[in-house]
Amino acid sequence: MVEHQLQEREQTSVMVEKDYHAEVGYYQISHEGEKICGDVFLSKRIPEENRVLCVLSDGMGHGVRANVLATLTATISLNCSMEHQDANALASIIMKALPVCSERKLSYSTYTIIDISMENDAVSILEYDNPQTVILRNYRIYEPQWTQVKYKGATKDKRVMNLKKCTYVPQLEDRIVFCSDGIVQSGLGRGLAMGWGRNEFIRFVRSVVETSPTVAAADLAERVVRRAASNDLFKPKDDLTCGVVYFRKQRKMMLCTGPPFNPDRDSEFAHLLKNFDGKKIISGATTADIISRELKREVKDEKRLDHALPPSSKMSGVDLVTEGVLTLSKVTNLLINHNQNAKMQFGKGPADQICQMLLDTDVVYFLVGTKINEMHHDPSLPVEIEIRKNLIQRLTKVLSEKYLKVVNLQYM
């Protein structure tokens, strides 16, 4: 079965348009008997430009050698794309940088680069020798205008560069599905004379989306890869990787913590939370007391589920009420150590619940009161308990850099 193969799964998000979100996910299984995958998938959000980049590279062969080629190619592709290098310059840099295979005397790695720009409301795709990217719109295949890029640079292996690119405007519920050739060639010699093929691959993707219209990007990618593995009787003869970008409506959440510096702003503080359209969390007993008083809502304690933390509470119109600094400190540490690829599960405690809600959210709003709670300066308290503002900054960093969330901070 595929369980002995390397399996990876990742899901991230970035805002594309005011009401749109691009959810990015991928899944991969390595060649039979290999612990290292020869395909590499990288993604990065560039908040200052409101862009997200995804790169899938397939190195020649499999195992360590292929992984080295693919990693180098994907890293160069990502960095060059961040700097807005044109297709010819990018291709030249990659081909000159790749090491030459000792057996075939070739330096070769394919790549697909997806560049999503909020500023330009556009998606640009650049491909070299990977199966052509599929764009699904209203359950049908949308074909953008592809153009061939004439590459004139000399390469070590003298290959003719099969570069092509396209640019189009995304729409709500669009899906971009791209893969390594192991997907479309799966089943070759094992009951499928010509392999699975692009047409059957597209038919499968459409059937999954028609059956599950809101299927997550990573889940769709996983189903594609597992189907390809089954075509190979669960003994893949090539690395299998699928990446998906899913354009959907945003999921928003506000986390409110800490009392405002000026008590005169307590009412404004509470009503910002009340009027927010999305999931709501209050973190901090004093914060909960202020909002309870201003909105005239009762706070009720719940059963204790994490003996290392105070129990969570309930308040009408709020999804979760927890203790403050201790809980947020644990949330930050849980997210730092969380491994999505291993499908780690969170517990039922208040910090675990916050983590799950954060990962299920695209845009996170932190409403942070800046009044210092003097109990946090008690030298007898553990060193890891930080002042709230610094703690929120750490949490913001891990959410934006590791999980590619869009984070907005407002201090009061």
Side-chain angles (χ1 to χ4, degrees):
M1 299 296 289
V2 297
E3 279 69 19
H4 75 283
Q5 305 295 336
L6 173 69
Q7 302 180 26
E8 291 192 16
R9 185 180 189 271
E10 188 67 67
Q11 186 161 304
T12 52
S13 299
V14 65
M15 185 165 59
V16 172
E17 202 179 74
K18 188 174 182 180
D19 297 321
Y20 285 26
H21 220 80
E23 179 185 282
V24 180
Y26 82 98
Y27 193 83
Q28 62 184 185
I29 297 176
S30 65
H31 183 287
E32 179 190 12
E34 295 287 358
K35 294 183 178 180
I36 297 177
C37 190
D39 297 341
V40 171
F41 184 97
L42 298 177
S43 62
K44 185 177 181 64
R45 191 172 79 86
I46 310 171
E48 59 271 19
E49 296 183 27
N50 288 323
R51 292 169 66 206
V52 68
L53 296 170
C54 311
V55 179
L56 170 58
S57 179
D58 180 358
M60 176 181 287
H62 52 85
V64 175
R65 179 181 60 198
N67 181 266
V68 170
L69 291 169
T71 299
L72 186 58
T73 300
T75 303
I76 293 173
S77 298
L78 196 67
N79 291 336
C80 288
S81 297
M82 286 174 61
E83 297 173 0
H84 301 278
Q85 295 273 8
D86 65 35
N88 269 286
L90 187 149
S92 178
I93 293 170
I94 290 174
M95 298 308 290
K96 290 177 181 178
L98 292 181
V100 176
C101 171
S102 59
E103 295 180 8
R104 298 178 177 86
K105 304 301 180 184
L106 299 176
S107 57
Y108 179 56
S109 185
T110 68
Y111 50 87
T112 298
I113 304 170
I114 313 289
D115 187 344
I116 304 166
S117 172
M118 173 185 165
E119 295 297 330
N120 300 322
D121 191 24
V123 175
S124 298
I125 305 174
L126 177 65
E127 285 185 349
Y128 170 50
D129 265 10
N130 271 337
Q132 183 170 311
T133 297
V134 173
I135 300 171
L136 196 63
R137 176 174 291 175
N138 298 323
Y139 307 110
R140 297 183 179 182
I141 301 304
Y142 170 74
E143 292 290 358
Q145 187 65 46
W146 289 90
T147 58
Q148 203 74 22
V149 179
K150 294 182 179 180
Y151 177 72
K152 300 179 181 179
T155 64
K156 295 176 182 177
D157 55 23
K158 307 301 181 184
R159 290 180 61 88
V160 175
M161 296 292 287
N162 182 26
L163 274 173
K164 56 185 177 182
K165 63 180 180 180
C166 73
T167 300
Y168 80 100
V169 177
Q171 293 184 8
L172 190 65
E173 295 301 315
D174 277 5
R175 284 180 171 85
I176 303 172
V177 186
F178 50 110
C179 64
S180 57
D181 60 8
I183 298 291
V184 295
Q185 293 175 8
S186 63
L188 186 63
R190 293 186 171 180
L192 299 175
M194 302 299 292
W196 196 20
R198 187 171 186 269
N199 290 338
E200 289 301 317
F201 161 65
I202 291 173
R203 194 170 287 116
F204 178 79
V205 170
R206 288 181 61 183
S207 70
V208 171
V209 175
E210 288 172 357
T211 304
S212 306
T214 60
V215 62
D219 292 338
L220 176 57
E222 180 176 353
R223 292 182 67 172
V224 168
V225 171
R226 289 192 176 277
R227 173 57 187 271
S230 72
N231 292 338
D232 282 330
L233 306 181
F234 301 102
K235 295 182 178 179
K237 292 302 180 184
D238 198 355
D239 300 299
L240 306 173
T241 303
C242 179
V244 176
V245 180
Y246 175 27
F247 294 90
R248 55 166 174 73
K249 289 187 177 180
Q250 295 176 359
R251 297 169 185 159
K252 298 183 286 186
M253 187 187 86
M254 175 176 280
L255 191 150
C256 184
T257 183
F261 182 81
N262 186 346
D264 292 341
R265 301 189 71 185
D266 284 357
S267 177
E268 177 190 353
F269 186 76
H271 281 84
L272 281 172
L273 181 71
K274 176 186 176 182
N275 297 327
F276 180 75
D277 182 18
K279 296 284 186 179
K280 303 171 187 178
I281 296 175
I282 299 173
S283 186
T286 305
T287 312
D289 289 342
I290 291 172
I291 293 173
S292 172
R293 182 191 71 230
E294 295 296 330
L295 301 183
K296 296 179 174 55
R297 296 177 181 177
E298 186 181 359
V299 179
K300 296 181 180 180
D301 289 338
E302 294 189 305
K303 182 180 178 181
R304 190 168 189 164
L305 299 173
D306 184 341
H307 293 289
L309 296 173
S312 58
S313 305
K314 278 187 175 181
M315 181 189 292
S316 175
V318 177
D319 296 279
L320 183 64
V321 181
T322 74
E323 182 275 339
V325 171
L326 279 170
T327 303
L328 291 179
S329 196
K330 184 170 182 179
V331 167
T332 305
N333 290 330
L334 283 171
L335 290 176
I336 288 172
N337 297 315
H338 181 62
N339 185 349
Q340 289 178 297
N341 293 341
K343 298 186 179 181
M344 293 171 61
Q345 299 295 316
F346 291 109
K348 296 182 179 180
D352 300 87
Q353 291 181 60
I354 292 177
C355 286
Q356 191 61 63
M357 290 176 69
L358 286 169
L359 294 189
D360 291 341
T361 299
D362 305 315
V363 186
V364 182
Y365 294 84
F366 286 111
L367 182 59
V368 185
T370 56
K371 184 176 180 180
I372 299 297
N373 188 337
E374 293 187 2
M375 69 171 287
H376 298 153
H377 293 282
D378 186 340
S380 67
L381 291 176
V383 174
E384 65 267 17
I385 298 179
E386 304 170 47
I387 297 174
R388 182 177 281 104
K389 187 174 180 179
N390 292 333
L391 180 57
I392 291 296
Q393 288 174 347
R394 282 186 65 211
L395 183 53
T396 296
K397 184 176 181 181
V398 70
L399 285 172
S400 59
E401 293 184 1
K402 181 176 180 179
Y403 298 99
L404 277 71
K405 303 298 181 182
V406 178
V407 182
N408 296 281
L409 278 170
Q410 181 177 349
Y411 292 100
M412 290 187 69

